[in-house]
Amino acid sequence: MKEIQKILSRVRLAVEKYDMIAEGDRIAVGVSGGKDSLVLLMALAELRKFLPRHFDIVAVTVDMGFDTCEASPAPKATHGEIRELCLRLDVPYVVKETELAHIIFDVRKESNPCSLCSRMRRGILHDTAKEAGCNKVALGHHYDDAVETFMLNLFFEGRVGCFSPVTLLSKKELILIRPLVLTEEKMIKHFANKVALPVEKSPCPEDEHTEREYMKQYLSDFDHRHRGLYRRILGALERGGIDGWHE
């Protein structure tokens, strides 16, 4: 598919630069239904065709169960279009049903639910990946996410840090990889729109009302006045060798 070549070039660069994929890997791709995870799924499915190392992928969705949530009820998600996409890509698809939304919003009534939700979803994703026989998990964090995470840590936690392109989870015997870390969000948006990916709108009431969204807007406004801001911040991450990043 010609439209995916620009994405693939960035993904392959990240995979080679950070040694993300080895011969015989079985990789669980975390598919939330958003544009980032769907583009990642398509890119890795395409990468299988020409990367000089054989690897398998499995798409995994952790269903939050908003249909059981009294605070923010939503229709039962069928993920039918994602399932059809996986069939076209020849990728097995696993949906893990949960009641996370009910636990977080109804039972615990969390006022700041994002941190707890993220931890619980990650744990379930990791366990599901292990059940599927995977040794790695691929997440859809991209170039812009890295810059925004670095700035969030600096502004709100007073520390210099970011997620790593590759992370070893020794207790789970899993490795997390982020093949989109060198791919800008605008490229992902353009591709997702061009090929009409079945992006699912998040039913979460906190969606687009988080500190990350505020930071995204702040950096975007600043970048309009001082072009190249994202590139300079990511370059600082790489030159500083922070959390596994390197030039």
Side-chain angles (χ1 to χ4, degrees):
M1 183 185 297
K2 186 168 69 173
E3 293 89 350
I4 203 172
Q5 292 308 312
K6 287 185 179 180
I7 301 285
L8 271 176
S9 66
R10 300 296 182 91
V11 168
R12 185 164 188 177
L13 177 61
V15 165
E16 299 291 0
K17 182 174 183 177
Y18 291 104
D19 196 21
M20 292 183 178
I21 297 177
E23 177 69 29
D25 279 344
R26 184 170 173 83
I27 304 170
V29 184
V31 177
S32 66
K35 67 182 189 318
D36 306 329
S37 62
L38 291 175
V39 169
L40 173 63
L41 176 64
M42 288 197 69
L44 290 181
E46 192 71 13
L47 192 65
R48 290 179 305 182
K49 299 175 183 178
F50 59 86
L51 193 73
R53 292 178 290 283
H54 174 268
F55 67 97
D56 295 318
I57 59 176
V58 179
V60 177
T61 293
V62 176
D63 189 309
M64 293 282 292
F66 273 99
D67 59 310
T68 67
C69 178
E70 297 172 8
S72 183
K76 175 65 178 174
T78 63
H79 311 294
E81 290 184 299
I82 297 177
R83 198 177 300 279
E84 289 177 11
L85 175 64
C86 288
L87 282 172
R88 293 201 304 272
L89 297 174
D90 192 25
V91 174
Y93 184 40
V94 176
V95 177
K96 187 70 172 181
E97 304 283 354
T98 77
E99 293 187 352
L100 281 180
H102 171 66
I103 294 168
I104 292 168
F105 291 102
D106 298 335
V107 177
R108 296 180 61 107
K109 302 184 187 300
E110 293 284 330
S111 57
N112 296 297
C114 296
S115 178
L116 176 63
C117 178
S118 178
R119 290 198 305 273
M120 293 179 74
R121 277 190 298 113
R122 282 199 307 266
I124 293 169
L125 174 60
H126 299 163
D127 289 343
T128 306
K130 292 291 290 184
E131 291 168 6
C134 298
N135 65 310
K136 289 182 179 175
V137 174
L139 302 177
H141 298 123
H142 49 65
Y143 187 103
D144 300 53
D145 285 330
V147 172
E148 290 152 11
T149 298
F150 176 77
M151 296 302 289
L152 282 166
N153 289 336
L154 188 63
F155 276 47
F156 293 101
E157 298 182 24
R159 67 182 180 89
V160 174
C162 185
F163 56 71
S164 302
V166 177
T167 305
L168 171 64
L169 302 178
S170 55
K171 290 184 179 178
K172 294 280 188 177
E173 296 183 326
L174 280 172
I175 295 174
L176 302 186
I177 61 173
R178 295 175 167 92
L180 292 177
V181 290
L182 301 181
T183 307
E184 293 94 336
E185 185 175 24
K186 63 184 179 182
M187 293 176 61
I188 294 169
K189 281 183 178 177
H190 176 75
F191 175 74
N193 291 333
K194 189 163 187 176
V195 301
L197 284 178
V199 175
E200 295 182 351
K201 178 77 171 81
S202 172
C204 178
E206 297 296 314
D207 189 43
E208 298 183 355
H209 298 285
T210 62
E211 288 177 347
R212 179 172 293 277
E213 287 300 319
Y214 302 145
M215 179 59 72
K216 182 188 292 289
Q217 187 58 56
Y218 173 81
L219 291 174
S220 177
D221 291 344
F222 200 88
D223 188 56
H224 280 306
R225 298 193 299 273
H226 303 278
R227 291 294 183 185
L229 175 68
Y230 278 77
R231 185 183 68 253
R232 291 191 294 274
I233 293 175
L234 194 81
L237 262 175
E238 293 178 330
R239 290 188 296 275
I242 295 168
D243 292 329
W245 291 81
H246 62 75
E247 291 187 292

